[in-house]
């Protein structure tokens, strides 16, 4: 069956009263589940607590912050995680966590805020394409778990990328530039949407590309100005995440016929999960290639390029985490002119494997019990800078 033969209901924008009730109920049930997860302590990763603890020191000396390392705070609980690695995330992410960390806000409030970013992305995608697409985005297990339970912040990046795509779609070039710059100051992967934005600027013949470019640049550079001091204080700030590529772990890597040197990328990942990941990450690439061949290459390549680049990169890097996939909806939205293709690609996004699924096939990678207990005590409020006598070897 061809893509064009998919049921029209998948992409219908006007909903009947019954359909509205159905989608409303599905969104509400998903939100309740996610709200419950927001109240649970992270189990797979310590990143959220580390973000808040580290960033809580930002306002003490902003100029020096990006040169600090956790080992300089040996008696604070968060500093046991990645002891010799400084803060490697862009300034907007830093300011987000510094705000909550300095206030002593608990993990729940941060995870709720990130969940609302996911809800915003889902709502905008639903309005722009189809409510099926929005529901797939909001209920996808990978984001239900890693955003609402674990507190990974990719949902904020996705929301800003979605805004940039929709502003470009509506020809609001100033705000396109603003949203794109803010996305870049949240996580570097947002750069992948750039080819699509350039395509929108130069594709519309009824527009004056010069005015579009000027509007985009004014918004882009204007949004950068508040962050300029960070790059004066640390010139290589935007390249800091590259140091993680010295590590070796990528559950989505190309298996390449199970060669021994390739299998090192999977560490303790089960064979069943490797096969599943290979299927649900390779099929989207095949679909995107097929999409390109079904029309004008000059028009379709820029729309598919962000997603293609993302998948090739994710499957090729040495160090990749499960939650990086949360960015997929923002990049896929570049195909908004082709809603059936977009919905099918989001179905495969929904099928991406997270740790909560992987645990059923033996891929258990949990934090230590004492660490999870500490996270539980920090759900509603926490003094992340509290100094205490800590024996890091006690739980070994």
């Amino acid at each position: 069956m061809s893509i064009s033969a998919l049921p029209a209901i998948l992409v219908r924008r006007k909903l009947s009263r019954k359909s509205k009730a159905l989608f409303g109920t599905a969104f509400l049930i998903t939100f309740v589940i996610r709200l419950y997860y927001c109240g649970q302590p992270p189990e797979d990763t310590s990143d959220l607590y580390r973000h808040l603890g580290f960033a809580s020191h930002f306002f003490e000396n902003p100029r020096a912050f990006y040169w600090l390392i956790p080992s300089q705070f040996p008696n604070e609980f968060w500093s046991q995680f990645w002891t010799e690695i400084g803060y490697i995330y862009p300034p907007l992410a830093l300011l987000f966590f510094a705000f909550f960390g300095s206030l002593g806000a608990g993990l729940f409030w941060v995870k709720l805020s990130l969940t609302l970013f996911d809800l915003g992305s889902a709502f905008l995608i639903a309005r722009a394409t189809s409510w099926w697409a929005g529901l797939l985005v909001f209920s996808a297990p990978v984001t239900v778990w890693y955003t609402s339970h674990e507190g990974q912040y990719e949902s904020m990046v996705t929301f800003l990328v979605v805004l940039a795509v929709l502003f470009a779609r509506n020809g609001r070039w100033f705000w396109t530039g603003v949203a794109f710059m803010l996305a870049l100051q949240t996580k570097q992967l947002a750069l992948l949407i750039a080819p699509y934005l350039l395509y929108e600027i130069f594709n519309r013949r009824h527009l004056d590309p010069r005015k579009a470019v000027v509007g985009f640049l004014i918004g882009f550079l204007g949004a950068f100005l508040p962050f300029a001091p960070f790059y004066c204080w640390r010139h290589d700030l935007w390249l800091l995440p590259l140091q993680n590529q010295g590590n070796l772990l990528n559950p989505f890597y190309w298996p390449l016929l199970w060669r021994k040197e390739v299998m090192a990328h999977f560490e303790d990942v089960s064979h069943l999960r490797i096969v599943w990941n290979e299927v649900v990450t390779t099929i989207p690439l095949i679909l995107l290639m097929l999409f390109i061949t079904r029309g004008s290459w000059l028009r379709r390549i820029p729309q598919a390029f962000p997603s293609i680049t993302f998948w090739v990169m994710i499957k090729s890097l040495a160090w990749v985490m499960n939650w990086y996939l949360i960015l997929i909806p923002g990049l896929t939205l570049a195909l908004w002119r082709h809603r059936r293709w977009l919905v099918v690609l989001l179905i495969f996004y929904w099928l991406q494997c997270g740790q909560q699924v992987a645990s059923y096939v033996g891929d258990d990678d949990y934090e230590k019990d004492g660490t999870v207990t500490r996270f539980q005590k920090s759900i509603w409020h926490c003094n992340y800078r509290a100094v205490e006598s800590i024996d890091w070897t006690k739980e070994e």
Side-chain angles (χ1 to χ4, degrees):
M1 182 176 67
S2 67
I3 294 294
S4 59
L6 288 173
I9 186 63
L10 291 179
V11 293
R12 188 179 298 162
R13 297 181 67 185
K14 294 183 179 180
L15 298 176
S16 66
R17 183 175 300 178
K18 185 176 180 180
S19 296
K20 288 180 180 179
L22 175 63
F23 280 111
T25 301
F27 270 93
L28 180 60
I29 292 173
T30 303
F31 185 75
V32 169
I33 293 172
R34 297 187 66 155
L35 194 63
Y36 169 78
Y37 276 167
C38 286
Q40 303 304 305
E43 297 176 3
D44 296 347
T45 72
S46 57
D47 287 1
L48 177 58
Y49 197 98
R50 184 181 189 271
H51 273 297
L52 292 165
F54 209 153
S56 69
H57 289 277
F58 169 71
F59 295 108
E60 296 171 2
N61 187 353
R63 181 184 295 271
F65 181 79
Y66 272 105
W67 297 97
L68 300 176
I69 57 175
S71 59
Q72 294 175 255
F73 307 91
N75 294 318
E76 297 181 18
F77 186 78
W78 64 269
S79 65
Q80 66 174 301
F81 308 112
W82 300 91
T83 307
E84 298 302 323
I85 297 180
Y87 202 81
I88 63 175
Y89 305 95
L92 186 55
L94 164 60
L95 292 174
F96 174 82
F97 289 110
F99 171 76
F100 286 101
S102 299
L103 290 177
L107 306 183
F108 172 87
W109 307 108
V110 186
K111 294 197 285 181
L112 176 61
S113 299
L114 295 171
T115 297
L116 292 177
F117 279 120
D118 263 338
L119 180 60
S121 296
F123 178 78
L124 291 173
I125 290 173
R127 294 279 295 181
T129 59
S130 104
W131 286 97
W132 280 107
L135 182 58
L136 287 168
V137 169
F138 192 55
S139 65
V142 69
T143 190
V144 170
W145 183 259
Y146 285 111
T147 298
S148 299
H149 193 281
E150 297 299 305
Q152 297 296 336
Y153 80 91
E154 271 69 14
S155 62
M156 183 162 61
V157 191
T158 301
F159 179 74
L160 292 168
V161 171
V162 167
L163 284 180
V165 171
L166 294 181
F167 282 136
R169 170 185 176 176
N170 295 327
R172 302 178 66 179
W173 304 114
F174 171 84
W175 291 110
T176 301
V178 170
F180 181 49
M181 173 52 72
L182 292 179
L184 292 176
Q185 298 309 317
T186 310
K187 197 153 199 172
Q188 291 83 347
L189 287 174
L191 183 63
L192 298 178
I193 201 62
Y196 162 78
L197 299 179
L198 292 174
Y199 164 75
E200 289 292 353
I201 289 175
F202 293 103
N203 175 55
R204 303 182 184 183
R205 297 179 181 178
H206 63 284
L207 296 176
D208 183 347
R210 291 172 297 180
K211 291 183 179 180
V213 169
V214 169
F216 177 85
L217 289 177
I218 291 175
F220 184 83
L221 296 175
F224 175 74
L225 289 178
F227 305 106
F230 291 90
Y231 294 88
C232 293
W233 301 331
R234 180 84 194 236
H235 302 311
D236 63 341
L237 188 161
W238 216 62
L239 302 177
L240 291 179
L242 294 178
Q243 62 187 279
N244 274 346
Q245 291 306 307
N247 301 317
L248 195 63
L249 176 61
N250 183 351
F252 310 104
Y253 200 78
W254 310 96
L256 299 179
L257 302 179
W258 310 88
R259 289 167 54 191
K260 184 176 180 180
E261 58 270 28
V262 172
M263 295 304 293
H265 289 82
F266 299 103
E267 200 172 288
D268 297 324
V269 179
S270 68
H271 285 187
L272 177 60
R273 187 181 172 201
I274 293 173
V275 172
W276 177 268
N277 283 345
E278 188 63 15
V279 171
V280 298
T281 61
T282 302
I283 291 180
L285 265 176
I286 296 172
L287 288 172
L288 288 162
M289 295 299 183
L290 181 61
F291 167 79
I292 291 174
T293 64
R294 298 295 294 273
S296 169
W297 285 43
L298 292 178
R299 292 181 178 275
R300 294 203 168 199
I301 286 179
Q303 298 173 61
F305 191 74
S307 295
I308 292 174
T309 306
F310 176 83
W311 281 121
V312 171
M313 183 183 69
I314 286 297
K315 293 176 69 63
S316 302
L317 292 175
W319 179 261
V320 171
M321 296 287 98
N322 295 314
W323 48 87
Y324 293 3
L325 303 183
I326 295 173
L327 189 60
I328 290 172
L331 301 177
T332 306
L333 187 57
L335 279 73
W336 58 265
R337 293 178 176 86
H338 309 276
R339 297 186 189 117
R340 289 183 174 86
W341 289 91
L342 184 146
V343 169
V344 173
L345 289 169
L346 288 178
I347 289 173
F348 282 94
Y349 168 64
W350 200 94
L351 293 173
Q352 297 303 317
C353 183
Q355 186 62 43
Q356 81 285 14
V357 177
S359 63
Y360 293 114
V361 293
D363 291 9
D364 296 327
D365 184 20
Y366 297 126
E367 293 291 336
K368 293 175 289 189
D369 290 341
T371 299
V372 176
T373 299
R374 173 60 68 91
F375 293 165
Q376 178 67 66
K377 294 178 179 178
S378 305
I379 289 295
W380 303 109
H381 56 81
C382 180
N383 179 5
Y384 299 98
R385 288 171 289 184
V387 175
E388 53 193 281
S389 178
I390 301 173
D391 181 4
W392 300 129
T393 65
K394 186 175 180 180
E395 298 175 9
E396 295 297 333

